[in-house]
Amino acid sequence: MLTAAGKSMETVSKNRLKRALRFLSTHRPELAVFLLGVVLRLSMSWNFHPLWSYDTDFHWAVVTWVAEHREIPAPETLFEAFHPPLYYVLAAALTKLGVNRAGMAWLSIVPSILELAVIWAGLELYVTRSRVARVSALALAAVTSALIHLGGMVYPESLNCFLNAVILLVVPLVFRRQGADRWLPAMLVGVLFGLAMLTKISGAATILAVGVGVLLEFAFSRRPFARRASNALAWLASIVVCVAVSGWYFGRNVREYGTPFVTSFTLPSQEWLVATAEQKPLVDRRPLGFLFGWDRSLYVHPFRLPETGTHERLFPVAIASTFIDFWGYGYAGFDHPYARRRGGMREQYETLGIARGAMAGGTVVFFAAALAWVAAARRTLRFRDFGRLTVILAPLSMLVATIQFATAYPVDLYGVVKGIYMSFGAPPLYAAFGIATGWAARSPRRLPVLVLLMASLVAIAIYSIDCRLLPL
């Protein structure tokens, strides 16, 4: 016999299930797009070998070291040990449970799928004016190769993207609360801040975006001063919690290296690569062409060609490495077991045609998202919607961090500009593309724009589907 409390819980569970099924039945296009994204990510478990991942042996060495020594290595101990430790500690714990190196890919696949679900939830919450916008934004997130690719790598990036996506999802909800009601949820976000910082230092860019949003709210909100001060102090408490969660690690870096953020270029193994550049002021380390120039050669061959030198252009390389396997790490790879560096991968000429299409489509998406981002930022600022404005600021903060890093360490051959590195701040850009598509769909006169945007999305999807699913 069920108790009254048990019957009540059973009723609540049934009602929740009914609501979930009702939601899915009325969101079939979104569900279909989401499931496509899930299948693309799952494909990384059966036709992508973990040894094709970025610096895979170096990352696995850190996992092994943590498992064997039961402590976090100093940054100079191993090549990738300068990264924050959360991913490596989780991976090491899984190895103790018997998970092998190939199985460790699930530590990236699962967060990648969860991130896509979080992006869908964010679109439902915040992109409310157009279903076309929501579906197209979700479709872009589902098929963008950088998001799928990192989802199969034995590497911290997928966990990092998931944590930052959750932060961007909940931050506007916290901004909607006022006074004392804001403190507890803000402090819970502080826990997420701390976990993100313990995964990758790029989480600092998200924290910066939130900080700017808090300052804008304090300066321009029409609420009484006491309420604005209380709202801002809630976020200060969030930072205190973040420091409590992650400060021990970055405090160690400050004590030993004089800086909280250690990179490979600050360690003896690679500091020689930037020794000449560091003799110059930061603003002199890159030509203006790095920011404002374009590289048309990438539309002919959108993969990196070592024999032709580096591509010293920020945005074309960012586009190529977001929508194409620019660095040649086996996105189109298949056929286990791993035999040699390129033994299980299709040659680039086999995917060259669709890669060119994805590069062209990615460029259209880039400019559409940039224009829609400006319009969305102006609108949210005009209506003093500081929560959404904070989310919109995340890609800008991400871009500033990317420019700073790529300028401070101008070593293009080592991949200082990678779309995967910028994916943690990209969810608002998928929404921006959706907003552009929704705008184009509202008027028959904009049909050519709508066709161009949808053709670009299809070109990106074709590349990912061909590389990930057709080899089966």
Side-chain angles (χ1 to χ4, degrees):
M1 297 288 294
L2 289 174
T3 64
K7 289 180 179 179
S8 176
M9 291 180 62
E10 183 181 15
T11 301
V12 170
S13 298
K14 288 182 178 179
N15 289 337
R16 287 177 177 175
L17 178 60
K18 288 180 181 178
R19 287 197 298 270
L21 292 175
R22 190 180 304 117
F23 173 84
L24 294 177
S25 67
T26 58
H27 291 75
R28 292 178 181 176
E30 293 90 339
L31 179 60
V33 168
F34 174 75
L35 291 177
L36 172 62
V38 169
V39 171
L40 288 169
R41 285 154 177 78
L42 289 176
S43 73
M44 299 295 288
S45 69
W46 65 69
N47 63 2
F48 181 87
H49 199 282
L51 292 181
W52 295 337
S53 304
Y54 290 155
D55 292 338
T56 177
D57 290 331
F58 300 114
H59 287 289
W60 186 249
V62 179
V63 174
T64 303
W65 202 96
V66 173
E68 291 178 352
H69 294 82
R70 298 186 179 183
E71 63 180 11
I72 298 166
E76 74 276 5
T77 305
L78 300 162
F79 179 68
E80 293 290 353
F82 63 88
H83 284 296
L86 181 59
Y87 172 86
Y88 302 103
V89 170
L90 292 175
L94 289 174
T95 63
K96 292 294 185 180
L97 296 175
V99 179
N100 60 20
R101 188 170 179 177
M104 203 61 67
W106 288 99
L107 188 54
S108 292
I109 293 172
V110 172
S112 183
I113 292 173
L114 293 176
E115 182 198 6
L116 186 61
V118 169
I119 290 172
W120 184 4
L123 293 170
E124 294 293 331
L125 277 173
Y126 306 127
V127 184
T128 57
R129 299 181 64 188
S130 169
R131 188 173 189 180
V132 172
R134 294 194 296 272
V135 173
S136 57
L138 183 61
L140 180 61
V143 301
T144 294
S145 66
L147 275 185
I148 301 165
H149 203 179
L150 65 85
M153 295 189 180
V154 179
Y155 190 60
E157 206 68 57
S158 182
L159 180 61
N160 179 52
C161 287
F162 168 65
L163 290 171
N164 281 278
V166 174
I167 291 170
L168 295 176
L169 175 69
V170 301
V171 158
L173 302 178
V174 180
F175 268 90
R176 291 177 184 178
R177 294 174 176 262
Q178 299 297 317
D181 290 340
R182 180 180 289 191
W183 280 69
L184 179 59
M187 293 171 73
L188 293 176
V189 172
V191 175
L192 293 173
F193 282 156
L195 294 176
M197 290 297 294
L198 286 176
T199 305
K200 284 205 74 177
I201 61 174
S202 52
T206 304
I207 296 175
L208 174 62
V210 175
V212 173
V214 172
L215 290 175
L216 290 173
E217 182 190 44
F218 181 79
F220 297 107
S221 173
R222 293 169 179 167
R223 298 183 184 278
F225 178 82
R227 178 58 56 86
R228 285 185 285 141
S230 177
N231 289 340
L233 287 173
W235 287 111
L236 180 60
S238 177
I239 297 301
V240 171
V241 173
C242 173
V243 172
V245 172
S246 62
W248 59 271
Y249 173 77
F250 295 101
R252 186 189 72 168
N253 287 348
V254 170
R255 289 192 303 271
E256 297 183 5
Y257 300 96
T259 176
F261 304 136
V262 178
T263 73
S264 63
F265 298 111
T266 60
L267 298 176
S269 60
Q270 284 197 321
E271 62 181 354
W272 61 273
L273 289 167
V274 295
T276 301
E278 288 183 335
Q279 296 175 4
K280 305 177 183 178
L282 183 64
V283 295
D284 293 333
R285 297 181 193 179
R286 289 283 195 178
L288 285 177
F290 176 70
L291 288 178
F292 302 106
W294 212 260
D295 191 343
R296 290 178 293 177
S297 69
L298 291 177
Y299 296 90
V300 178
H301 198 296
F303 303 101
R304 183 177 66 90
L305 293 176
E307 63 271 17
T308 63
T310 58
H311 298 275
E312 295 182 352
R313 298 289 185 265
L314 172 63
F315 292 107
V317 170
I319 292 170
S321 59
T322 298
F323 298 107
I324 301 149
D325 184 15
F326 176 76
W327 296 99
Y329 277 83
Y331 186 64
F334 61 101
D335 193 19
H336 289 192
Y338 184 87
R340 54 189 176 84
R341 186 70 185 96
R342 293 288 182 264
M345 302 182 189
R346 284 186 286 173
E347 297 294 335
Q348 290 178 351
Y349 71 83
E350 297 181 65
T351 59
L352 183 57
I354 56 173
R356 288 170 175 167
M359 181 67 190
T363 303
V364 172
V365 167
F366 167 77
F367 283 107
L371 292 173
W373 182 91
V374 172
R378 291 180 61 185
R379 178 181 177 83
T380 53
L381 185 58
R382 184 169 68 250
F383 287 98
R384 289 177 166 80
D385 189 345
F386 298 105
R388 293 193 191 194
L389 179 62
T390 297
V391 173
I392 291 170
L393 288 173
L396 178 61
S397 181
M398 168 198 73
L399 179 61
V400 170
T402 299
I403 292 173
Q404 188 278 331
F405 180 75
T407 302
Y409 309 114
V411 191
D412 294 309
L413 191 63
Y414 280 67
V416 292
V417 177
K418 286 180 180 175
I420 282 180
Y421 291 166
M422 293 180 275
S423 295
F424 75 94
L429 296 180
Y430 304 128
F433 172 75
I435 291 170
T437 306
W439 172 84
R442 285 202 296 270
S443 171
R445 291 179 297 178
R446 301 167 186 165
L447 181 60
V449 178
L450 179 62
V451 170
L452 177 62
L453 293 175
M454 296 309 296
S456 299
L457 179 58
V458 168
I460 293 167
I462 288 173
Y463 177 76
S464 285
I465 291 171
D466 179 90
C467 290
R468 292 279 77 238
L469 300 182
L470 292 191
L472 297 183

